Amino acid sequence: MQWLNAIIQGVLLGGLYALLAAGLSLMFGVMRIVNLAHGALAMLAAYIGLVIVQGTGVSPFLAMVAVVPIMAGVGYLLQWGVFNRALRVGGLAPLLAAFGLAVVLTQLLQLKFTSDSQSLQTGSLSIASIQISDDISIGVLPLITFGVGVVVIAALQVFISKAPLGRAMRAASDDPETVPLMGIDNRQVYALSTAIALGTVGLAGMFLAVRGNFDPNYGQAMLIFAFEAVIIGGLGSLWGTLAGGMVLGVAQALGSQVNPSYGVLVGNLVFLAILAFRPSGLLPKAVTA
Amino acid sequence: MTLLQVSGLDVHYGDFQALYSMDLTVAEGETLAVIGANGAGKSTLLKAIAGLVAPSAGEISFDGTSVTTLAAHKRVPLGIALTPEGRRIFKSLTVEENLLVGAHAKRKGPWNLARVYEAFPLVADRKDRVGTNLSGGEQQAAAIGRALMSNPRLLLLDEVSLGLAPVVIEQIYAALPAITSQGTTVLVVEQDVNQSMKVADRVQCMLEGRTVLEGAPADLTRDQIASAYFGI
Amino acid sequence: MTQAVVHPHAKVKRATKSSWVGLAVIVVLLLVAPAVPYLVDKGTQGSLVTLFSLIVMATMWNLLAGYGGMLSVGQQAYIGIGAYALVYIADTVGIDPFMAVPIAVVIAGLISFPISFLAFRLTGGYFAIGTWVIAVVVMEIVQQVPALGGGIGVTFNGFSDLTPGRRIAYVYWLSLVGVALAVAVTYWIMRSRLGLGFTAIRDDATAAASLGVRVTRSKRFVFVVAAMGCGLAGAMIAANTLRVQPDSIFSVNYAVFMIFIVVIGGIGTIEGPIVGAVVFFALQQWLSDLGAWYLVILGLLAIVITLFLPRGLWGLLSGNGRIRLFPVGYRLVPPVAILDVTHEPAPATSEG
Ligand SMILES: Nc1ncnc2c1ncn2[C@@H]1O[C@H](COP(=O)(O)OP(=O)(O)O)[C@@H](O)[C@H]1O
Ligand SMILES: [Mg+2]
């Protein structure tokens, strides 16, 4: 039964990874940018949340209402200020710019907030759980996180396939050179995509922060997990990313069940095994994102 | 009335010059065909008019105002639409979505989904297919429909017939009267001389980035065109 | 000696002049550099070894990214492997430390070969994170091996019978040979048919794609060479600091350093990483009072250079590539477009 419990916890954890990975997938899908600053930006969101919570005393969940639009604004400006320019330079420039950004952001957070661990308290919610049986209890907070992950992915999916902007995003992904002929400014589509992506990063960062301790470097480790979720699930599929996140989460939970220090390693090995034997992921290219 | 005026246009790709002081005028409601061999600079000319390549010298004015330095996406709302060479249908979008993207600029005018489907039955039958699964002719028809969705005053068509079977070419050109009858000005680029002679009010022949012959189809002899086309 | 220079008229003359300058610089270095242990104190020699290790890793990263289009964030894997291999072979197996260094280099190369098959499943940015994950996994595995000191690491005792002065001089000479070899090998690769092949990849991605297997094979070769170079850098670091800890020797900061050095110095040139390493090292010393600010400043510098000066400082110094110390017959930028989507058709009309 402990194993079943581990699997359930792993699945729920997968929702968090997928939430973090959603923005990564979106930016890659639209612009072919692999945003190496994704994890650092999640930490920026977490620290913005921390400042708001400490400054106003509101609950972290209420703080999200501010964090998400702030991050979306950051994304919009970042695209116009850095990535649109980097895309025009071409080649490795977008990756290099994102990498530079990751380092600068992480260091700035460290300078401002030190590398000590921080946490966002959610009061009784952090320990609330639903007891299923003697061995199995489901934490309310992980359950909410999972639910938010699923909702965000579903919403993105609908947005991309139905909304006019989503359509423009797919068009830009298909053939960016032709998009201006439709009267659409690529750079604006990109800026809005990055805004949406960073809005989801805002959510992900806050849920990372309420889940446990975080520090400026924590985002890097999380970026790796999010990336693994994307690859395991198959590039270009948002639902695949959710599945990938769950596979990774379960692998880590089972690994930790064997030996607490094995969790991350087992997750990484599962990822490498999938890369070796099923490089297109478990659910390849179900839906373009 | 002059709708489009191109004067003294130079275009460079790096060190290579593709257009040499090109002049071109299109009157409102007219259909002009630009013909020329492969590499003559026809696509470059259309791209410059649409704003996809920047000229190094010269002027492009549309309806009396200069658009020379205007970004491509800002020319669409003014009424310039290009159906690019190779169709460039968005592959992962359905035909209908392609048309809807074409309507992004929300220009008022006669064209909408229903009218496009009416003009191109070929497109109507395929409206839920994604771009990848279309034949060349279907793609071409969808691409013209997509351009029409912006309700252009000036429609630029690049190599409509390239790679298509004669019957399909017939079908697509059959829609041209429906387009011009709305008052839309059309600039077609073709390598296929006969096709363009049939539809155009005026023909302009290009060779290596320059205009070498110009006139109404009726006034031009086969020999004139042949020597202009091949530069002999 | 043919080479591609932007202005054909000046080609021969400039190449000759700059080659002479290059030769002069190299001769002076050859005369002065070996004598350094007789001229400066131990601390300075240690610093120079650090600088040399930076040049080696940056040169290798440049070989990967600047020429091969592979942006790796995981070269620290081979730095760590080189360091651990040196310590293990010298201390546990008992081979002479100076012999152990080349063996450690070969081990890094051998391990990178199977890894390349995993890493090459990914391209572009995903390759970047993939290599990073692999480096993390290598570290996690090393941490589980008691013979390698587990999570605590190992101390290098191979030099314990030397006086500190001798040791540092020997390590200095070793590193000098190492850095000279790394630059020479890179130079040789770029002058070889392989290097010309990479020019082809860069100039015409589609044609290169049709070459299929050959492209992958060349990339794999470069990947292994870069791993060996980073293994060498790791061995140099271990020999210099005498202590190898998993957290620090496998630190992603090495990837940060390499990338910043190459970007700042100028990607896709032999000289760029050397210039970048010197600038980086100088800034590191100069800004050391500022603590972490130096990384912020370097990061911002790297971003600005990426966006506005893609040829880097060397591009600026050399008048955008007209002067060459090491003529490799190469266009400098843009680097290989590994993300094969042209996003901006670049009309001058766009107001960007
Ligand atoms: N993107 C480009 N880069 C460099 N040269 C180009 C480019 N596009 C076209 N050219 C060159 O410009 C000339 C005109 O091309 P184009 O306008 O496509 O001719 P056409 O459409 O008449 O066949 C040709 O010599 C072609 O090789
Ligand atoms: Mg053409």
Side-chain angles (χ1 to χ4, degrees):
Chain A
M1 283 314 252
Q2 273 178 358
W3 294 97
L4 184 60
N5 189 46
I7 289 173
I8 293 173
Q9 308 306 334
V11 166
L12 295 182
L13 189 56
L16 179 61
Y17 295 157
L19 178 60
L20 184 61
L24 202 62
S25 283
L26 187 67
M27 285 181 71
F28 180 76
V30 177
M31 296 169 273
R32 301 290 180 274
I33 289 181
V34 175
N35 181 16
L36 296 176
H38 204 76
L41 285 162
M43 288 304 106
L44 175 66
Y47 279 98
I48 291 174
L50 184 73
V51 168
I52 292 175
V53 168
Q54 285 179 347
T56 63
V58 299
S59 101
F61 293 101
L62 202 58
M64 287 180 197
V65 177
V67 171
V68 170
I70 290 173
M71 289 306 290
V74 168
Y76 189 83
L77 296 177
L78 207 55
Q79 186 66 39
W80 275 109
V82 177
F83 287 131
N84 277 339
R85 168 95 208 166
L87 284 170
R88 207 155 61 169
V89 174
L92 298 176
L95 267 175
L96 291 172
F99 187 76
L101 206 65
V103 174
V104 169
L105 256 182
T106 306
Q107 295 301 323
L108 283 176
L109 287 175
Q110 225 160 60
L111 284 163
K112 179 89 181 76
F113 298 99
T114 76
S115 45
D116 298 342
S117 288
Q118 302 279 355
S119 63
L120 277 180
Q121 299 305 325
T122 50
S124 58
L125 195 62
S126 59
I127 45 165
S129 66
I130 304 164
Q131 200 72 30
I132 307 278
S133 76
D134 285 350
D135 288 327
I136 301 173
S137 74
I138 298 177
V140 172
L141 195 55
L143 198 61
I144 293 175
T145 310
F146 181 81
V148 169
V150 172
V151 167
V152 164
I153 282 176
L156 275 180
Q157 195 75 59
V158 170
F159 176 81
I160 287 164
S161 52
K162 295 285 188 285
L165 177 58
R167 203 157 56 211
M169 283 157 62
R170 280 181 291 142
S173 166
D174 276 359
D175 186 355
E177 280 176 74
T178 302
V179 165
L181 295 176
M182 309 295 115
I184 300 171
D185 187 356
N186 277 330
R187 298 163 302 169
Q188 182 68 5
V189 172
Y190 293 161
L192 293 172
S193 307
T194 304
I196 294 170
L198 288 211
T200 68
V201 172
L203 272 181
M206 288 300 284
F207 276 102
L208 281 172
V210 295
R211 177 173 161 260
N213 292 337
F214 62 94
D215 62 64
N217 282 301
Y218 187 55
Q220 286 188 347
M222 292 300 119
L223 168 65
I224 287 182
F225 297 155
F227 154 79
E228 289 178 338
V230 170
I231 301 288
I232 293 174
L235 277 181
S237 155
L238 281 173
W239 290 119
T241 298
L242 180 63
M246 296 197 296
V247 169
L248 182 65
V250 169
Q252 290 180 349
L254 292 180
S256 304
Q257 188 71 31
V258 177
N259 179 333
S261 73
Y262 284 176
V264 175
L265 178 59
V266 170
N268 286 335
L269 291 177
V270 165
F271 159 73
L272 290 181
I274 286 175
L275 193 59
F277 299 111
R278 268 196 81 105
S280 56
L282 296 178
L283 279 181
K285 205 86 189 163
V287 193
T288 358
Chain B
M1 199 207 89
T2 303
L3 183 63
L4 175 74
Q5 175 129 31
V6 173
S7 45
L9 204 69
D10 286 355
V11 173
H12 287 84
Y13 294 110
D15 289 340
F16 177 79
Q17 185 160 2
L19 293 184
Y20 293 85
S21 193
M22 263 303 282
D23 294 321
L24 177 143
T25 311
V26 192
E28 177 116 54
E30 186 188 23
T31 299
L32 172 69
V34 172
I35 59 173
N38 195 14
K42 307 179 297 296
S43 296
T44 302
L45 175 66
L46 292 196
K47 282 183 186 170
I49 296 169
L52 290 182
V53 297
S56 35
E59 271 286 310
I60 302 170
S61 72
F62 183 73
D63 196 20
T65 54
S66 170
V67 296
T68 317
T69 57
L70 201 64
H73 68 270
K74 290 186 179 159
R75 299 190 194 192
V76 181
L78 299 180
I80 299 177
L82 167 64
T83 302
E85 189 174 343
R87 293 98 200 202
R88 308 295 281 259
I89 283 293
F90 298 112
K91 293 267 189 303
S92 68
L93 273 58
T94 65
V95 167
E96 184 148 314
E97 286 177 327
N98 267 283
L99 297 179
L100 290 171
V101 172
H104 185 92
K106 297 203 168 64
R107 256 179 73 85
K108 296 246 168 350
W111 293 100
N112 52 35
L113 278 180
R115 294 293 286 276
V116 168
Y117 289 147
E118 198 179 308
F120 295 101
L122 209 56
V123 172
D125 294 342
R126 298 282 182 264
K127 70 185 178 66
D128 294 322
R129 282 212 190 169
V130 289
T132 343
N133 299 339
L134 298 177
S135 71
E138 290 160 359
Q139 285 189 19
Q140 186 63 71
I144 298 174
R146 184 179 66 181
L148 288 173
M149 290 294 284
S150 70
N151 283 300
R153 293 177 67 185
L154 173 65
L155 176 63
L156 310 166
L157 298 174
D158 198 348
E159 305 265 16
V160 166
S161 58
L162 194 73
L164 300 184
V167 275
V168 181
I169 299 174
E170 282 303 320
Q171 272 179 315
I172 290 174
Y173 269 100
L176 207 56
I179 298 169
T180 49
S181 69
Q182 305 283 354
T184 308
T185 309
V186 179
L187 202 175
V188 293
V189 152
E190 278 287 359
Q191 282 185 55
D192 180 340
V193 180
N194 291 331
Q195 190 59 53
S196 31
M197 300 290 265
K198 269 189 265 174
V199 298
D201 303 317
R202 212 153 48 79
V203 179
Q204 189 162 340
C205 186
M206 285 180 72
L207 180 71
E208 291 170 356
R210 298 177 173 86
T211 304
V212 284
L213 184 71
E214 201 173 341
D219 302 339
L220 303 174
T221 66
R222 275 205 153 316
D223 287 348
Q224 272 181 313
I225 292 173
S227 70
Y229 194 98
F230 297 110
I232 43 175
Chain C
M1 198 174 68
T2 50
Q3 63 166 321
V5 178
V6 190
H7 298 270
H9 308 299
K11 177 163 88 175
V12 178
K13 202 175 168 191
R14 279 206 177 101
T16 317
K17 197 194 278 175
S18 61
S19 302
W20 279 113
V21 174
L23 203 62
V25 168
I26 290 167
V27 167
V28 169
L29 278 179
L30 282 178
L31 290 175
V32 173
V36 160
Y38 302 105
L39 304 173
V40 302
D41 63 18
K42 294 199 288 272
T44 310
Q45 290 175 56
S47 297
L48 283 171
V49 172
T50 307
L51 173 63
F52 291 167
S53 69
L54 289 173
I55 294 177
V56 171
M57 51 181 103
T59 297
M60 290 304 135
W61 192 83
N62 181 48
L63 183 63
L64 270 180
Y67 294 117
M70 294 172 275
L71 197 155
S72 167
V73 188
Q75 292 308 102
Q76 63 273 23
Y78 312 105
I79 293 177
I81 289 170
Y84 271 102
L86 170 65
V87 175
Y88 188 82
I89 294 166
D91 286 0
T92 309
V93 181
I95 291 176
D96 178 76
F98 293 100
M99 278 308 298
V101 170
I103 299 175
V105 168
V106 170
I107 289 176
L110 286 177
I111 293 179
S112 75
F113 184 72
I115 286 179
S116 73
F117 285 88
L118 269 181
F120 284 15
R121 301 255 184 182
L122 301 163
T123 54
Y126 288 111
F127 174 85
I129 313 186
T131 53
W132 188 359
V133 174
I134 290 168
V136 169
V137 171
V138 170
M139 178 186 75
E140 287 169 344
I141 291 173
V142 166
Q143 282 175 331
Q144 304 291 338
V145 179
L148 297 176
I152 301 159
V154 285
T155 302
F156 185 34
N157 299 314
F159 292 130
S160 48
D161 47 351
L162 295 177
T163 65
R166 292 223 144 181
R167 178 189 70 84
I168 188 65
Y170 285 169
V171 171
Y172 171 85
W173 280 317
L174 175 83
S175 303
L176 185 64
V177 172
V179 74
L181 266 178
V183 173
V185 165
T186 307
Y187 181 58
W188 169 74
I189 289 178
M190 294 337 297
R191 291 296 300 263
S192 71
R193 280 189 50 183
L194 188 72
L196 296 176
F198 279 122
T199 323
I201 299 174
R202 173 149 54 185
D203 291 350
D204 190 344
T206 7
S210 65
L211 296 175
V213 178
R214 259 196 48 211
V215 173
T216 310
R217 207 180 286 171
S218 322
K219 285 191 162 189
R220 199 181 315 284
F221 176 72
V222 162
F223 189 81
V224 171
V225 170
M228 292 172 74
C230 287
L232 172 65
M236 285 158 64
I237 292 168
N240 194 23
T241 60
L242 303 181
R243 178 96 196 113
V244 179
Q245 273 170 304
D247 289 342
S248 57
I249 200 75
F250 287 111
S251 167
V252 72
N253 274 347
Y254 283 122
V256 175
F257 296 165
M258 290 176 219
I259 296 175
F260 284 1
I261 287 171
V262 175
V263 168
I264 290 171
I267 194 166
T269 58
I270 304 276
E271 298 90 343
I274 302 172
V275 171
V278 173
V279 170
F280 178 89
F281 190 71
L283 278 177
Q284 208 176 21
Q285 307 292 316
W286 183 46
L287 300 174
S288 59
D289 296 341
L290 294 176
W293 278 106
Y294 90 90
L295 267 182
V296 174
I297 293 171
L298 282 169
L300 290 174
L301 191 63
I303 294 173
V304 168
I305 287 181
T306 298
L307 297 183
F308 299 101
L309 199 70
R311 289 155 197 256
L313 291 181
W314 178 250
L316 206 63
L317 290 174
S318 65
N320 275 336
R322 272 179 241 135
I323 301 170
R324 288 290 174 78
L325 297 185
F326 301 93
V328 287
Y330 232 78
R331 216 158 35 79
L332 305 186
V333 278
V336 178
I338 47 168
L339 308 179
D340 52 355
V341 180
T342 320
H343 283 270
E344 294 284 336
T349 47
S350 64
E351 65 281 49

